[in-house]
Amino acid sequence: MAETTFSFAGESIPVTPGDSVLTALLRAGRRPTVGGTLCFAGDCPSCLCTADGVAYVRACQTAAADVDQVEPHPSSGEPALPDWDETAVEIGVDRRRADVVVIGNGQSGRAAASAARDEGRSVEVLDAGDGSEVVGIYSGPHVVARSAGGMIEVHADAVIVATGSVEIQPVVPGSELAGSYTPRAASQAISAGVDLGNLVAVGDVAPETLAFAGIDRPIPGDLLRFESDDNGSIAAVVTSVDGSETTTPCDNVIVGLGRYPRDMLARMAGPGEATIVGSAADPAPLPSCPSDGVVCPCSNVTMQQLRDVHARGFTHIELLKRSTLAGTGTCQGGVCLPYLRSFLAAEGEEVQPSFTARPVSRQLTLSEIAAGAHVTTAARTGLDGVHRQLGARMDRMGGWWRPWTYGDSDDEYRAVRDDVSLCDVSTLGLMTIAGPDAEAALQRLYPTDVSTIRAGRSRYVLMLDERGYVFDDGMIARRDDDTFLLTFTSGGASMAEMWIRDWAAGWGHDIRLLNQTFSTGAINVTGPKATELLARIGITEPPPWLGHGEVDVAGVQCTIFRLSFTGEISYELHHPVERSVELWNLLMAEGADLGCRPHGLETLLRLRLEKGHIIVGQDTDYDSTPRRLRHEWAVNLRSGDFIGRHAVERTNRIPLDKHLVGLRFEGPPPIEGAVVWHGDTYAGAITSATWSPALEAGIALAWVYEIDGEFPSEVRATGPDGRDIVGTVVDTPFFDPEGARARA
Amino acid sequence: MRERFDSTHIIALPNALDRLEMDALDLADDVIPMRFASDELVLLGHTSAIDVDDPHAIVVRDGSWHGEWLSASQSELLLRAECAWAVPERRPAFAQGLVAGLPAKLWFEPERTLVVVTQARAVDFAERLAPYLGSA
């Protein structure tokens, strides 16, 4: 008496206790997929279905009582993507440690676990039958399994694979038809009360299986093919004895072709990381090479396709796999792997081992894949809360949350140009380098003569790689003979730290390097009234242009730099990050009647573009030399053997093929990334663009290529309204080229 | 994160830090030595002036660390779900790596664990830590 039901393609399917989805369907005369031999062991792709919205579920491995709605797997193409489920529950990860993980709780698995326990080792046993289905072994080793309660991840010293063997499936013409069973599958189907009608057997089928199935003996001879009825099911088995064909009508057929080690998980493990025991460790047999038929039902690869690619020179099992995709589908070689080996052997190739396996061995849901994963966060400056309180629109840039605008970027721009403004520049990379070889190391790390930077002074610098390409920029500030402060781009500090450490260690330089990016905040005080604001907080003698020093602001110890990215008078106050809010509030309060208000990134990017300052990563490309960037002035070829020097010298000798130029448009500029043309010839692309309030024009930086022996002086691009606009190549800085305002 | 820590951040020759770390372990009750690297030591907690046997050492005050003390059960729950690497079994012990997807420093004592992140990650880490703070 059926206790419950599930829906299958709109039909109610009765379920009896202990049913899998597959046995319930077969008993009702239905199949989840079109055809193929059933194994009842999760090794083949012949019983896939969509259960409660999850596709690629093996019906034989799924308890019928656990599902409400089952849909057949499509006969061709992929299952429909599920609807977005906002109520989906997040899946967690249970991380465990064990001396030994045993995969498989069969006879050999239990024996291995027992032996390990006897040695006093902690043991974790994972078995699909017990609800923990291992889906991968990763380097470590660590073993990942899925369970009803979530994902399980076990770190172990040793892994024992005791996963038994798979039954070899037939590959003959018609093997894709419905109605064939492996011996184990037939026994389980009969036990579950599935009516297999006129059932016959072929091949090597154990006597007890035959007796259980009520079959006297297998059909003699070799299996040649299956013949079909009008419904895509097997109607007859054709065998051959001494060249003579025999056709045996049937409804279903048991096909016994022997077993093959189920060692996929062991093949995922790194060398020495897994031990195979039991029948999973048996030698892999070579079944007879099929003459025809679908060898890989997952990827629908035929024997003829194997012959074709072999004839083209794909003679290794890994190449066969990659060229045809056999073995890359749902069952990961459960059906085809034995035949790929026997095919190659039959073609005269050396007998080859099974192809490699990689996690995961089972289709996982997106929730399972995402289990334990977190969204990558952006770092927050010490002023993050202040920006949000001020209503700033926050955005992520360079790995940090940054205020894009506080609401009115035009007003923010005017604050910088006319009054005084604050900008949170805590995202800049900052390091201290010290030691007897600090100067020598910097001399080789940067293309500048560091020895000429006096204590209290600083210099803009590029960082070049060995190919002479620019990968970062910043400032070097000398504190004393053997101590320097270094700044880097936002998000560039981690890479730069490794770069410096690696090179210095290689050179044997005696240095100390401290990355203070996360422990230091920085506020840029900028605008014509910046000096006055500093005076109000007690800094009456600020450093000169490109100078720096130490100051105490109401008990907050700051390193102050005088430089400018905005084109106006600017002072950066670097300070302990836990004091950022205090310092910000003090500056805002003291500057209130000076018109002090903060500006965000949108304004900063506009200001810097008016000055023609590049942003590494935005205006540079993977192959940007100082010369292409028109930053030769930042490279001192007399300063010694710096990284990238030889590449710079070499590339300086070859004709320049492209360079970064300033463009001026008499109207709004094109969008960043827009292609620029010279006539009908591709001429480059816009890297940065903005409307310049100071110039009342559109301005941009762009890569422009040499065309017919010269660089264009005008280029064409598509404007924001979709019409062509013309940009004139002009010198940079666009605004205040002498830098009078910044140095005032 | 409920607590912000003062610390002394030191970059110095490894031998000099070896001696300093041992002194901190032996002498200080509330100062936790966290050895980030062979040449990098953070003494978490308030310290007087630190005398490092390295004339070129960089020694700075660093108040950017935020942390939370966890009970043994809270720690076990957190690490079981959010730590993909093997933590040390000896006590006391220092370890560092990704916890809940963020770079964290861990100090293990017999009955409790301190988890510390830099200020830039504190808000996000606190959100990810919250589900594990329920069980004392």
Side-chain angles (χ1 to χ4, degrees), chain A residues 371-395:
Chain A
H374 289 281
V375 173
T376 302
T377 61
R380 297 171 193 265
T381 72
L383 294 165
D384 185 81
V386 170
H387 303 316
R388 291 170 196 271
Q389 222 167 22
L390 289 169
R393 199 182 104 206
M394 303 297 286
D395 208 343

PDB file of all heavy atoms in Angstrom, chain A residues 371-395:
ATOM      1  N   ALA A 371      28.945  26.985  -0.441  1.00  0.00           N
ATOM      2  CA  ALA A 371      28.952  26.725   0.997  1.00  0.00           C
ATOM      3  C   ALA A 371      30.266  27.199   1.623  1.00  0.00           C
ATOM      4  O   ALA A 371      31.349  26.861   1.140  1.00  0.00           O
ATOM      5  CB  ALA A 371      28.766  25.238   1.262  1.00  0.00           C
ATOM      6  N   GLY A 372      30.155  27.966   2.652  1.00  0.00           N
ATOM      7  CA  GLY A 372      31.352  28.425   3.370  1.00  0.00           C
ATOM      8  C   GLY A 372      32.066  29.573   2.702  1.00  0.00           C
ATOM      9  O   GLY A 372      33.037  30.095   3.241  1.00  0.00           O
ATOM     10  N   ALA A 373      31.593  29.977   1.516  1.00  0.00           N
ATOM     11  CA  ALA A 373      32.265  31.074   0.820  1.00  0.00           C
ATOM     12  C   ALA A 373      31.672  32.406   1.267  1.00  0.00           C
ATOM     13  O   ALA A 373      30.504  32.486   1.639  1.00  0.00           O
ATOM     14  CB  ALA A 373      32.115  30.919  -0.676  1.00  0.00           C
ATOM     15  N   HIS A 374      32.466  33.413   1.238  1.00  0.00           N
ATOM     16  CA  HIS A 374      32.000  34.751   1.583  1.00  0.00           C
ATOM     17  C   HIS A 374      32.279  35.693   0.420  1.00  0.00           C
ATOM     18  O   HIS A 374      33.214  35.491  -0.345  1.00  0.00           O
ATOM     19  CB  HIS A 374      32.741  35.290   2.811  1.00  0.00           C
ATOM     20  CG  HIS A 374      32.358  34.600   4.076  1.00  0.00           C
ATOM     21  ND1 HIS A 374      31.211  34.888   4.763  1.00  0.00           N
ATOM     22  CD2 HIS A 374      32.960  33.611   4.778  1.00  0.00           C
ATOM     23  CE1 HIS A 374      31.128  34.131   5.836  1.00  0.00           C
ATOM     24  NE2 HIS A 374      32.173  33.338   5.866  1.00  0.00           N
ATOM     25  N   VAL A 375      31.473  36.712   0.334  1.00  0.00           N
ATOM     26  CA  VAL A 375      31.728  37.755  -0.651  1.00  0.00           C
ATOM     27  C   VAL A 375      33.033  38.451  -0.267  1.00  0.00           C
ATOM     28  O   VAL A 375      33.277  38.712   0.912  1.00  0.00           O
ATOM     29  CB  VAL A 375      30.571  38.776  -0.646  1.00  0.00           C
ATOM     30  CG1 VAL A 375      30.871  39.969  -1.531  1.00  0.00           C
ATOM     31  CG2 VAL A 375      29.281  38.096  -1.078  1.00  0.00           C
ATOM     32  N   THR A 376      33.857  38.704  -1.264  1.00  0.00           N
ATOM     33  CA  THR A 376      35.100  39.426  -0.994  1.00  0.00           C
ATOM     34  C   THR A 376      34.763  40.849  -0.561  1.00  0.00           C
ATOM     35  O   THR A 376      34.020  41.548  -1.244  1.00  0.00           O
ATOM     36  CB  THR A 376      35.981  39.462  -2.259  1.00  0.00           C
ATOM     37  OG1 THR A 376      36.234  38.136  -2.648  1.00  0.00           O
ATOM     38  CG2 THR A 376      37.281  40.195  -1.987  1.00  0.00           C
ATOM     39  N   THR A 377      35.277  41.221   0.562  1.00  0.00           N
ATOM     40  CA  THR A 377      34.938  42.546   1.077  1.00  0.00           C
ATOM     41  C   THR A 377      35.953  43.574   0.604  1.00  0.00           C
ATOM     42  O   THR A 377      37.088  43.252   0.272  1.00  0.00           O
ATOM     43  CB  THR A 377      34.950  42.563   2.612  1.00  0.00           C
ATOM     44  OG1 THR A 377      36.269  42.227   3.038  1.00  0.00           O
ATOM     45  CG2 THR A 377      33.944  41.607   3.178  1.00  0.00           C
ATOM     46  N   ALA A 378      35.512  44.802   0.607  1.00  0.00           N
ATOM     47  CA  ALA A 378      36.439  45.913   0.413  1.00  0.00           C
ATOM     48  C   ALA A 378      36.835  46.420   1.806  1.00  0.00           C
ATOM     49  O   ALA A 378      36.033  46.385   2.737  1.00  0.00           O
ATOM     50  CB  ALA A 378      35.763  47.015  -0.378  1.00  0.00           C
ATOM     51  N   ALA A 379      38.070  46.857   1.907  1.00  0.00           N
ATOM     52  CA  ALA A 379      38.538  47.377   3.196  1.00  0.00           C
ATOM     53  C   ALA A 379      37.850  48.714   3.496  1.00  0.00           C
ATOM     54  O   ALA A 379      37.374  49.398   2.591  1.00  0.00           O
ATOM     55  CB  ALA A 379      40.056  47.554   3.148  1.00  0.00           C
ATOM     56  N   ARG A 380      37.798  49.033   4.766  1.00  0.00           N
ATOM     57  CA  ARG A 380      37.164  50.286   5.184  1.00  0.00           C
ATOM     58  C   ARG A 380      38.204  51.163   5.868  1.00  0.00           C
ATOM     59  O   ARG A 380      38.956  50.693   6.723  1.00  0.00           O
ATOM     60  CB  ARG A 380      36.024  50.011   6.159  1.00  0.00           C
ATOM     61  CG  ARG A 380      34.891  49.197   5.549  1.00  0.00           C
ATOM     62  CD  ARG A 380      33.915  48.774   6.623  1.00  0.00           C
ATOM     63  NE  ARG A 380      32.994  47.758   6.143  1.00  0.00           N
ATOM     64  CZ  ARG A 380      31.775  48.002   5.662  1.00  0.00           C
ATOM     65  NH1 ARG A 380      31.347  49.240   5.595  1.00  0.00           N
ATOM     66  NH2 ARG A 380      30.996  47.019   5.257  1.00  0.00           N
ATOM     67  N   THR A 381      38.203  52.424   5.520  1.00  0.00           N
ATOM     68  CA  THR A 381      39.120  53.341   6.187  1.00  0.00           C
ATOM     69  C   THR A 381      38.556  53.681   7.564  1.00  0.00           C
ATOM     70  O   THR A 381      37.401  53.373   7.880  1.00  0.00           O
ATOM     71  CB  THR A 381      39.294  54.649   5.381  1.00  0.00           C
ATOM     72  OG1 THR A 381      38.083  55.411   5.493  1.00  0.00           O
ATOM     73  CG2 THR A 381      39.594  54.368   3.913  1.00  0.00           C
ATOM     74  N   GLY A 382      39.361  54.342   8.356  1.00  0.00           N
ATOM     75  CA  GLY A 382      38.908  54.751   9.676  1.00  0.00           C
ATOM     76  C   GLY A 382      37.782  55.766   9.615  1.00  0.00           C
ATOM     77  O   GLY A 382      37.130  56.033  10.625  1.00  0.00           O
ATOM     78  N   LEU A 383      37.547  56.335   8.417  1.00  0.00           N
ATOM     79  CA  LEU A 383      36.497  57.340   8.258  1.00  0.00           C
ATOM     80  C   LEU A 383      35.261  56.792   7.562  1.00  0.00           C
ATOM     81  O   LEU A 383      34.355  57.555   7.205  1.00  0.00           O
ATOM     82  CB  LEU A 383      37.056  58.533   7.467  1.00  0.00           C
ATOM     83  CG  LEU A 383      38.143  59.319   8.198  1.00  0.00           C
ATOM     84  CD1 LEU A 383      38.903  60.231   7.234  1.00  0.00           C
ATOM     85  CD2 LEU A 383      37.538  60.132   9.335  1.00  0.00           C
ATOM     86  N   ASP A 384      35.212  55.491   7.369  1.00  0.00           N
ATOM     87  CA  ASP A 384      34.102  54.884   6.640  1.00  0.00           C
ATOM     88  C   ASP A 384      32.756  55.280   7.258  1.00  0.00           C
ATOM     89  O   ASP A 384      31.815  55.659   6.554  1.00  0.00           O
ATOM     90  CB  ASP A 384      34.271  53.364   6.641  1.00  0.00           C
ATOM     91  CG  ASP A 384      33.234  52.647   5.809  1.00  0.00           C
ATOM     92  OD1 ASP A 384      33.416  52.593   4.576  1.00  0.00           O
ATOM     93  OD2 ASP A 384      32.235  52.168   6.392  1.00  0.00           O
ATOM     94  N   GLY A 385      32.673  55.180   8.566  1.00  0.00           N
ATOM     95  CA  GLY A 385      31.421  55.516   9.249  1.00  0.00           C
ATOM     96  C   GLY A 385      31.058  56.992   9.084  1.00  0.00           C
ATOM     97  O   GLY A 385      29.889  57.344   8.960  1.00  0.00           O
ATOM     98  N   VAL A 386      32.084  57.847   9.075  1.00  0.00           N
ATOM     99  CA  VAL A 386      31.849  59.286   8.910  1.00  0.00           C
ATOM    100  C   VAL A 386      31.254  59.559   7.532  1.00  0.00           C
ATOM    101  O   VAL A 386      30.273  60.304   7.393  1.00  0.00           O
ATOM    102  CB  VAL A 386      33.166  60.069   9.093  1.00  0.00           C
ATOM    103  CG1 VAL A 386      32.986  61.531   8.696  1.00  0.00           C
ATOM    104  CG2 VAL A 386      33.657  59.953  10.526  1.00  0.00           C
ATOM    105  N   HIS A 387      31.830  58.955   6.518  1.00  0.00           N
ATOM    106  CA  HIS A 387      31.323  59.177   5.153  1.00  0.00           C
ATOM    107  C   HIS A 387      29.868  58.756   5.039  1.00  0.00           C
ATOM    108  O   HIS A 387      29.045  59.450   4.440  1.00  0.00           O
ATOM    109  CB  HIS A 387      32.156  58.391   4.136  1.00  0.00           C
ATOM    110  CG  HIS A 387      33.620  58.711   4.169  1.00  0.00           C
ATOM    111  ND1 HIS A 387      34.092  59.993   4.261  1.00  0.00           N
ATOM    112  CD2 HIS A 387      34.723  57.908   4.116  1.00  0.00           C
ATOM    113  CE1 HIS A 387      35.420  59.969   4.274  1.00  0.00           C
ATOM    114  NE2 HIS A 387      35.826  58.713   4.188  1.00  0.00           N
ATOM    115  N   ARG A 388      29.565  57.602   5.618  1.00  0.00           N
ATOM    116  CA  ARG A 388      28.191  57.096   5.520  1.00  0.00           C
ATOM    117  C   ARG A 388      27.235  57.990   6.294  1.00  0.00           C
ATOM    118  O   ARG A 388      26.101  58.235   5.863  1.00  0.00           O
ATOM    119  CB  ARG A 388      28.131  55.648   6.017  1.00  0.00           C
ATOM    120  CG  ARG A 388      28.863  54.689   5.065  1.00  0.00           C
ATOM    121  CD  ARG A 388      29.026  53.298   5.629  1.00  0.00           C
ATOM    122  NE  ARG A 388      30.036  52.563   4.879  1.00  0.00           N
ATOM    123  CZ  ARG A 388      29.794  51.820   3.795  1.00  0.00           C
ATOM    124  NH1 ARG A 388      28.561  51.709   3.354  1.00  0.00           N
ATOM    125  NH2 ARG A 388      30.768  51.190   3.168  1.00  0.00           N
ATOM    126  N   GLN A 389      27.714  58.497   7.435  1.00  0.00           N
ATOM    127  CA  GLN A 389      26.877  59.395   8.226  1.00  0.00           C
ATOM    128  C   GLN A 389      26.598  60.693   7.466  1.00  0.00           C
ATOM    129  O   GLN A 389      25.530  61.273   7.592  1.00  0.00           O
ATOM    130  CB  GLN A 389      27.608  59.720   9.525  1.00  0.00           C
ATOM    131  CG  GLN A 389      26.715  59.712  10.728  1.00  0.00           C
ATOM    132  CD  GLN A 389      27.531  59.716  12.014  1.00  0.00           C
ATOM    133  OE1 GLN A 389      28.695  60.117  12.032  1.00  0.00           O
ATOM    134  NE2 GLN A 389      26.918  59.260  13.089  1.00  0.00           N
ATOM    135  N   LEU A 390      27.565  61.098   6.658  1.00  0.00           N
ATOM    136  CA  LEU A 390      27.391  62.322   5.875  1.00  0.00           C
ATOM    137  C   LEU A 390      26.543  62.079   4.627  1.00  0.00           C
ATOM    138  O   LEU A 390      26.316  62.996   3.845  1.00  0.00           O
ATOM    139  CB  LEU A 390      28.761  62.879   5.454  1.00  0.00           C
ATOM    140  CG  LEU A 390      29.602  63.488   6.581  1.00  0.00           C
ATOM    141  CD1 LEU A 390      31.025  63.767   6.108  1.00  0.00           C
ATOM    142  CD2 LEU A 390      28.952  64.785   7.079  1.00  0.00           C
ATOM    143  N   GLY A 391      26.114  60.861   4.448  1.00  0.00           N
ATOM    144  CA  GLY A 391      25.257  60.547   3.300  1.00  0.00           C
ATOM    145  C   GLY A 391      26.007  60.320   2.010  1.00  0.00           C
ATOM    146  O   GLY A 391      25.427  60.431   0.920  1.00  0.00           O
ATOM    147  N   ALA A 392      27.293  60.037   2.124  1.00  0.00           N
ATOM    148  CA  ALA A 392      28.087  59.828   0.905  1.00  0.00           C
ATOM    149  C   ALA A 392      27.605  58.602   0.148  1.00  0.00           C
ATOM    150  O   ALA A 392      27.163  57.627   0.740  1.00  0.00           O
ATOM    151  CB  ALA A 392      29.555  59.656   1.269  1.00  0.00           C
ATOM    152  N   ARG A 393      27.678  58.706  -1.160  1.00  0.00           N
ATOM    153  CA  ARG A 393      27.440  57.524  -1.986  1.00  0.00           C
ATOM    154  C   ARG A 393      28.762  56.767  -2.046  1.00  0.00           C
ATOM    155  O   ARG A 393      29.739  57.261  -2.583  1.00  0.00           O
ATOM    156  CB  ARG A 393      26.999  57.952  -3.395  1.00  0.00           C
ATOM    157  CG  ARG A 393      26.315  56.847  -4.165  1.00  0.00           C
ATOM    158  CD  ARG A 393      25.957  57.323  -5.561  1.00  0.00           C
ATOM    159  NE  ARG A 393      26.887  56.763  -6.534  1.00  0.00           N
ATOM    160  CZ  ARG A 393      27.176  57.323  -7.690  1.00  0.00           C
ATOM    161  NH1 ARG A 393      26.635  58.466  -8.030  1.00  0.00           N
ATOM    162  NH2 ARG A 393      28.013  56.736  -8.520  1.00  0.00           N
ATOM    163  N   MET A 394      28.775  55.566  -1.453  1.00  0.00           N
ATOM    164  CA  MET A 394      30.027  54.824  -1.339  1.00  0.00           C
ATOM    165  C   MET A 394      30.193  53.895  -2.538  1.00  0.00           C
ATOM    166  O   MET A 394      29.223  53.352  -3.074  1.00  0.00           O
ATOM    167  CB  MET A 394      30.050  54.002  -0.052  1.00  0.00           C
ATOM    168  CG  MET A 394      29.859  54.809   1.223  1.00  0.00           C
ATOM    169  SD  MET A 394      31.180  56.009   1.526  1.00  0.00           S
ATOM    170  CE  MET A 394      32.524  54.933   2.037  1.00  0.00           C
ATOM    171  N   ASP A 395      31.424  53.723  -2.941  1.00  0.00           N
ATOM    172  CA  ASP A 395      31.719  52.813  -4.045  1.00  0.00           C
ATOM    173  C   ASP A 395      33.037  52.117  -3.729  1.00  0.00           C
ATOM    174  O   ASP A 395      33.807  52.578  -2.892  1.00  0.00           O
ATOM    175  CB  ASP A 395      31.845  53.587  -5.359  1.00  0.00           C
ATOM    176  CG  ASP A 395      31.472  52.723  -6.558  1.00  0.00           C
ATOM    177  OD1 ASP A 395      31.444  51.488  -6.414  1.00  0.00           O
ATOM    178  OD2 ASP A 395      31.220  53.302  -7.631  1.00  0.00           O
TER     179      ASP A 395
END
